[in-house]
């Protein structure tokens, strides 16, 4: 009877050792990466397993990459996740789960920006720092950041949505008039804040913090 008990105990020990070995082996192959950001501050946590700490230089490289990526209006949650996975693989791991946490929720990507110009006065002032939530979920009345073919990034009020186009307007309605005297005539130059139609996919996101 005792020998049978010893056999059962031995089988249990072997099973536990095998399970622990499998867990450890899996830990060597996989890394969980958690990125916390509010658009201006970024922290990165990498976890391989309880037995295997991720290399600190890998965490530093990911943090440096993400710091630049969140400022790039071309970047998306998917592109950041893909690039971080490639960084992890370069350190010998086979798999990485990448999660982005922000004040807007899970895998919601904020982008910091600075207002340039007075077209959104009094709502936004020149030099004011803002945080944009990158999203295609916007509505009339939102302040959005969009890509303009001539002016690059612009921040405007979304006033209309028609089909695949959006109409963006300035909050500042003031018209600037400059008079230039020439030898035989006066030239009057009128400058109005930009109002423009753009494709819907030009909108990068909605201004959430200002």
């Amino acid at each position: 009877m005792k020998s049978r008990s010893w056999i059962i105990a031995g089988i249990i020990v072997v099973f536990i050792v095998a399970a622990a070995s499998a867990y450890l082996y899996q830990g060597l192959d996989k890394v969980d990466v958690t990125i916390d950001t509010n658009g201006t501050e970024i922290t990165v946590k990498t976890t391989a397993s309880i037995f295997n700490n991720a290399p600190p230089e890998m965490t530093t490289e990911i943090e440096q990459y993400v710091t630049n990526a969140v400022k790039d209006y071309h970047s998306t949650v998917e592109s950041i996740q893909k690039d971080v996975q490639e960084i992890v693989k370069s350190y010998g791991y086979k798999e990485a789960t990448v999660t982005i946490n922000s004040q807007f929720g899970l895998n919601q990507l904020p982008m910091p920006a600075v207002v340039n110009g007075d077209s959104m006065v009094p709502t936004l002032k020149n030099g004011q720092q803002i945080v944009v939530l990158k999203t295609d979920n916007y509505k009339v009345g939102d302040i959005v950041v969009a890509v303009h073919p001539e002016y690059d990034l612009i921040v405007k009020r979304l006033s209309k949505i028609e089909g695949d186009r959006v109409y963006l307007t300035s909050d500042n309605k003031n018209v600037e008039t400059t008079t230039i005297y020439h030898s035989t005539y006066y030239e009057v130059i009128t400058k109005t804040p930009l109002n423009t139609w753009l494709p819907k996919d030009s909108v990068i996101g909605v201004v959430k913090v200002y």
Side-chain angles (χ1 to χ4, degrees):
M1 193 71 173
K2 285 185 178 181
S3 60
R4 186 176 179 183
S5 298
W6 279 108
I7 292 172
I8 294 173
I11 292 173
I12 293 174
V13 170
V14 170
F15 177 79
I16 292 173
V17 171
S21 299
Y23 178 81
L24 179 59
Y25 178 77
Q26 184 181 26
L28 292 172
D29 281 347
K30 182 180 179 182
V31 175
D32 293 324
V33 180
T34 303
I35 300 167
D36 292 303
T37 178
N38 60 7
T40 55
E41 298 177 349
I42 294 167
T43 58
V44 174
K45 181 180 179 182
T46 53
T47 306
S49 75
I50 59 174
F51 304 107
N52 177 34
N53 293 325
E57 58 270 25
M58 182 180 77
T59 303
T60 300
E61 183 176 347
I62 293 172
E63 195 167 88
Q64 291 172 344
Y65 161 75
V66 175
T67 298
N68 293 321
V70 296
K71 300 174 185 176
D72 183 357
Y73 70 82
H74 297 97
S75 67
T76 63
V77 169
E78 292 75 17
S79 68
I80 290 176
Q81 288 174 329
K82 181 179 178 181
D83 289 344
V84 170
Q85 287 168 348
E86 291 302 316
I87 292 173
V88 169
K89 289 178 181 178
S90 72
Y91 283 83
Y93 294 94
K94 294 182 179 179
E95 184 181 352
T97 301
V98 183
T99 303
I100 299 174
N101 296 318
S102 76
Q103 68 270 51
F104 306 122
L106 179 65
N107 291 330
Q108 300 294 308
L109 186 61
M111 181 187 77
V114 178
V115 177
N116 182 17
D118 299 321
S119 68
M120 288 299 290
V121 169
T123 311
L124 302 176
K125 297 177 175 59
N126 183 40
Q128 184 173 343
Q129 294 184 339
I130 59 176
V131 177
V132 181
L133 170 60
K134 290 186 175 181
T135 179
D136 57 5
N137 184 18
Y138 45 76
K139 63 185 184 301
V140 170
D142 284 340
I143 301 175
V144 300
V145 170
V147 181
H148 189 276
E150 182 178 353
Y151 302 107
D152 199 19
L153 292 186
I154 60 173
V155 56
K156 298 293 173 186
R157 181 82 60 181
L158 199 161
S159 295
K160 296 179 184 178
I161 302 176
E162 293 185 3
D164 60 354
R165 301 188 307 161
V166 292
Y167 187 57
L168 307 182
T169 60
S170 301
D171 281 6
N172 186 354
K173 307 303 181 185
N174 293 333
V175 177
E176 297 180 11
T177 301
T178 303
T179 302
I180 301 176
Y181 175 71
H182 298 275
S183 58
T184 58
Y185 66 96
Y186 287 95
E187 179 184 7
V188 179
I189 300 175
T190 301
K191 181 180 179 182
T192 59
L194 177 68
N195 300 316
T196 182
W197 284 98
L198 288 175
K200 289 174 70 174
D201 59 9
S202 297
V203 177
I204 294 172
V206 178
V207 177
K208 291 290 189 179
V209 179
Y210 58 91

